[in-house]
Amino acid sequence: MLENCEKLNNQAIELAMKGEYKEAIACFIRAISLENQNHTLWYNLGLTYRDSGDLGAACSAIEKALEIEPEDEEIIETLSSLYISMGKPNDALYYCVLGLDMNPYNSHFWNNLGVVYFNQKDYGNAEEAFEHAITINPYYYDALYNLRDTYEELGNQLGARECAARMKGVQGR
């Protein structure tokens, strides 16, 4: 039976969903050996590395996916999130700006940018970024949550209460 990248990808995803990361990674690597320029395989490999706890390998694989498909916003967003998780604000900031240059109406890039600023205790820029995110998507729970926390840091209790009220409305959707 001939190996097929699509079947290997699907098999790897199933393995990863069961927590069998080592086997899933082996499947992705085999698929990539057959189709080295398939950005989806690299991206899925990166997600599996991330889920297994190997964030460095995750970034390497997802950066390879971006090299192959440089206009994919999901790849860029994932990289910004990974670098936030790794405590690498300069790298996270780079991917947020790259994404916003590509699409200034992507609320996820604005939210991630706000998280970078918030983590640096730059609450003024964080506030602005989170406000952009919810202006684009008023029902974006994570951005509302983050904006609420930012307002609290800035002493804006009215804004924090408004965010909390909107969050309750979003949860009911």
Side-chain angles (χ1 to χ4, degrees), residues 120-132:
Q120 294 175 327
K121 299 187 183 338
D122 181 351
Y123 302 119
N125 279 324
E127 173 186 34
E128 185 178 325
F130 295 135
E131 286 175 347
H132 267 85

Side-chain angles (χ1 to χ4, degrees), residues 8-135:
L8 286 167
N9 181 59
N10 292 339
Q11 181 181 1
I13 290 169
E14 287 178 24
L15 288 165
M17 288 172 55
K18 292 188 233 174
E20 297 174 16
Y21 300 117
K22 188 174 179 181
E23 296 82 358
I25 289 166
C27 272
F28 283 126
I29 290 172
R30 178 66 187 138
I32 287 168
S33 75
L34 299 173
E35 208 173 297
N36 189 269
Q37 294 301 302
N38 184 323
H39 76 282
T40 301
L41 294 173
W42 283 103
Y43 181 72
N44 288 342
L45 173 63
L47 294 179
T48 304
Y49 274 127
R50 179 200 64 194
D51 294 346
S52 76
D54 189 343
L55 299 184
C59 286
S60 295
I62 296 173
E63 284 173 352
K64 178 66 178 177
L66 184 61
E67 180 183 310
I68 296 165
E69 192 64 41
E71 305 274 319
D72 190 312
E73 292 180 30
E74 185 176 8
I75 294 172
I76 297 168
E77 180 190 335
T78 301
L79 282 167
S80 70
S81 295
L82 273 170
Y83 282 118
I84 289 169
S85 297
M86 294 171 73
K88 294 186 174 187
N90 292 337
D91 293 319
L93 187 61
Y94 170 80
Y95 286 108
C96 289
V97 170
L98 179 67
L100 287 169
D101 284 346
M102 198 178 304
N103 180 0
Y105 301 103
N106 183 316
S107 60
H108 293 272
F109 290 136
W110 283 109
N111 184 64
N112 284 358
L113 182 63
V115 170
V116 172
Y117 288 137
F118 187 92
N119 289 342
Q120 294 175 327
K121 299 187 183 338
D122 181 351
Y123 302 119
N125 279 324
E127 173 186 34
E128 185 178 325
F130 295 135
E131 286 175 347
H132 267 85
I134 64 167
T135 298

